[in-house]
Amino acid sequence: MKKSLLAPVGFFTHMNIRGKLLISYFILIFFPLALLTTISYKNVSSDYEKQILHSADQSFDQAYTFLNYKVNTLIKASDVIYFNADVQTILARKKEEFENDYVQQNIDRLKLENFLSSFQNSEDVYRASLYVPGWFMYAAQNFNFYDKDSFSHTQSYQRLMASKDKVNWLPPHTITNNSSSLDPVQVISLLRKIRNTEQTTEYIGMIELSILKENIEAMIQKANITYDGVVYIQNSHGDIVSCSNLQNLNRIDPNTELIKGLQNNDTTWNNAAFGNSDYVIKARAIENTDWTMVTAIPYTEIYSQSIRIRDLMLVLMLVCGLISYGLAYFITGATVKRIQLLRKKMRLVQEGFLNVEVNSKIHDEIGDLTDSFNHMVKRIKLLVDEQYQNGKEIKNLELKALQAQINPHFLYNTLEMINWKAIDNDVPEIAVISQSLAKFYKLSLNKGKDIVSLEDELDHIRIYVKIQNLRFDDKIKLAIDIDPDLYSCAILKLILQPIVENAIIHGIREYRDKEKGSITITGYPDKHDLVLIVKDDGVGMPQDKAEEILANGNPADEVHGYGVRNINHRIKLCYGQEYGLTYRSSPGNGTRVEIRIPAIHPSK
């Protein structure tokens, strides 16, 4: 626990000065603004919730009154039709007396049509229809008249006959239009049984009064005062009679059981959860129907206005914070800018760049540090230059010492060989040996110059191997595979001969199972570099021992190991640390030496 508390403290302690100041500004600016935003949001949310629920109450009551009026209008119209003498008389006619009396039936039809049409002259009743016995000649008209016998097989008929209510209400369905085009329209219908007033146990027909669904929906839509909320009417079977927004209705998936529990408490709003959202809902049963009018408003919309205010305050808080941070950044920048510049220059010196100087025109504490830094860098640079010159002179002296000795053992052995050849054989090879030896030393000394062409260096190697073959009976095969275009490249002299000599003496000669050995020299350009590779098929060595040659010399032969290490140091001194030798070897697979130097063409 203590460590977890100390971690932020330690982080803050080691933070830069500007970071500490900005954190202080954050605490002093954003904390009060966040507190103010929270308090304002809570107050506004409470007030806005009361306002929106009050408005929703008024709209709900207005729509409820309208629906009651429509329902009562249809019921009163059904009363008039029910007790009409002509309707009672015509529907009570006997089949055996009037089935074939088409004249009387036609008169009856006209009389009923005129009577029903009188109800279809307002927005209250869109269609007035009767279900008549199937033997009536106009029973299949399907406009003002329908076949009662065919209707008796439907679920709506079964519900009507089983109901003890005065009227039943059909869910929304489609009928043909009153106009000549007969376009289908959506209606909501009242259905009522007609008893014979003279014989009350006999049902002689049914009344269907329809009202346009769009008239109901128009009022329902006006009752919905929110964007994501919904007002809808649902019957006792769970059918949706009308709704203000079908998409919003699908989100809440109406629950009839929940609505039944709210019908008796129609003056208050209740909380309910639909899906992943919370709603406030209100429900009220519509008299003389099995309908329930419901309005549901999501909490997110109730708080939308307060959320907008909250978002505005957050934006203002962010703007104020950014402006304050900008000012703080500018003010602190004037103080820490020079420190950051000094730190940046120090890091450059740490990485090895000594051509660094910091300009300072202000003579305060930071100015004193800057002057001291500049003096220190100049002193370091002077010391490094002196060390470099001393090192270069030492290496040149070592090279001259190496050139002076040019392997006396090799010279002695060669002269001895010439001597024995002269004694044992009277052959012209002696002249060849003498000429080769003379040319070898001529190329080695090169009039004291350190830079030669790649072509001269390769000629030097060819002569050297030729002399060695005279000594070892042509047991060494030399192959050179380098593009002649690279022959003009300028290189340090004597960087191949010590490597080839190591390959012969420590590689090929020590391979007892092989009579002959080969040395291959290849080269190729690599971007701005020249890569030379000397590869032999000698005994090889472990990789760690190969790497030790460049690090500590070859313990087996200090003279040759010193020569290879000297080559590597000369290349790095002349061209840079990224250049030099790389050894690759393994026992029985020979040795591969890679030489990387810059590709320098004197003519370019």
Side-chain angles (χ1 to χ4, degrees), residues 195-461:
R195 295 176 183 268
N196 191 333
T197 53
E198 306 235 344
Q199 187 178 350
T200 56
T201 58
E202 180 185 4
Y203 294 104
I204 57 176
M206 285 161 285
I207 303 170
E208 182 176 340
L209 298 178
S210 301
I211 185 173
L212 286 174
K213 182 184 177 185
E214 63 184 28
N215 292 343
I216 303 295
E217 286 184 344
M219 192 60 190
I220 293 296
Q221 289 171 357
K222 290 179 182 179
N224 183 27
I225 63 171
T226 60
Y227 181 78
D228 292 324
V230 64
V231 178
Y232 65 94
I233 301 173
Q234 190 173 25
N235 64 19
S236 59
H237 302 289
D239 301 321
I240 300 300
V241 179
S242 180
C243 78
S244 60
N245 188 306
L246 187 58
Q247 185 177 1
N248 292 346
L249 181 69
N250 291 334
R251 289 196 196 122
I252 68 174
D253 189 18
N255 188 331
T256 55
E257 296 301 322
L258 175 63
I259 293 171
K260 289 178 181 179
L262 299 175
Q263 289 177 351
N264 298 327
N265 190 15
D266 56 11
T267 60
T268 60
W269 292 86
N270 297 271
N271 298 326
F274 295 107
N276 296 325
S277 301
D278 293 327
Y279 287 76
V280 289
I281 62 173
K282 185 176 183 179
R284 185 184 297 180
I286 300 174
E287 298 177 359
N288 298 317
T289 67
D290 63 340
W291 298 347
T292 301
M293 181 177 171
V294 183
T295 182
I297 304 173
Y299 268 110
T300 55
E301 190 152 7
I302 292 177
Y303 297 137
S304 61
Q305 184 65 27
S306 57
I307 289 174
R308 283 192 291 270
I309 295 175
R310 180 201 63 188
D311 292 343
L312 177 60
M313 294 190 69
L314 288 175
V315 171
L316 291 175
M317 181 178 68
L318 182 61
V319 171
C320 292
L322 290 176
I323 293 174
S324 300
Y325 263 52
L327 293 174
Y329 189 87
F330 177 78
I331 294 171
T332 56
T335 303
V336 302
K337 182 178 181 181
R338 290 185 296 147
I339 297 177
Q340 291 177 342
L341 177 62
L342 184 60
R343 184 180 64 175
K344 180 180 179 181
K345 298 297 184 181
M346 286 181 176
R347 287 180 176 174
L348 289 176
V349 174
Q350 184 180 354
E351 293 173 2
F353 298 95
L354 297 179
N355 294 322
V356 173
E357 185 176 0
V358 183
N359 297 322
S360 176
K361 298 180 180 180
I362 302 175
H363 300 289
D364 55 4
E365 292 83 357
I366 300 175
D368 292 341
L369 286 174
T370 302
D371 293 337
S372 299
F373 171 75
N374 290 334
H375 178 74
M376 179 187 67
V377 171
K378 289 178 181 178
R379 185 64 180 166
I380 292 174
K381 184 179 179 183
L382 180 61
L383 293 174
V384 169
D385 289 340
E386 290 178 357
Q387 185 180 11
Y388 174 76
Q389 291 298 330
N390 293 335
K392 191 172 182 181
E393 290 177 3
I394 292 172
K395 290 299 176 183
N396 286 334
L397 291 175
E398 290 177 350
L399 175 61
K400 292 183 183 297
L402 180 65
Q403 289 178 335
Q405 66 171 353
I406 305 288
N407 196 347
H409 299 290
F410 171 70
L411 180 59
Y412 297 153
N413 291 336
T414 303
L415 293 175
E416 185 180 359
M417 178 187 61
I418 294 172
N419 181 48
W420 284 105
K421 286 285 183 181
I423 295 174
D424 295 341
N425 300 291
D426 185 14
V427 293
E429 292 178 351
I430 297 175
V432 175
I433 295 172
S434 300
Q435 291 175 359
S436 300
L437 186 61
K439 191 172 183 180
F440 173 80
Y441 281 111
K442 181 179 180 180
L443 292 172
S444 297
L445 296 174
N446 193 32
K447 297 180 180 181
K449 296 180 181 179
D450 292 331
I451 304 299
V452 298
S453 67
L454 177 60
E455 183 177 11
D456 289 342
E457 186 74 1
L458 293 176
D459 288 342
H460 184 254
I461 295 302

Side-chain angles (χ1 to χ4, degrees), residues 45-61:
S45 297
S46 178
D47 292 341
Y48 188 71
E49 180 179 5
K50 293 177 182 178
Q51 292 177 8
I52 196 170
L53 292 180
H54 178 70
S55 299
D57 262 331
Q58 290 182 327
S59 299
F60 185 90
D61 292 341

Side-chain angles (χ1 to χ4, degrees), residues 559-575:
V559 174
H560 292 290
Y562 175 81
V564 172
R565 191 173 67 233
N566 184 272
I567 292 170
N568 191 45
H569 288 173
R570 286 171 57 208
I571 291 175
K572 291 184 180 297
L573 280 173
C574 186
Y575 300 122

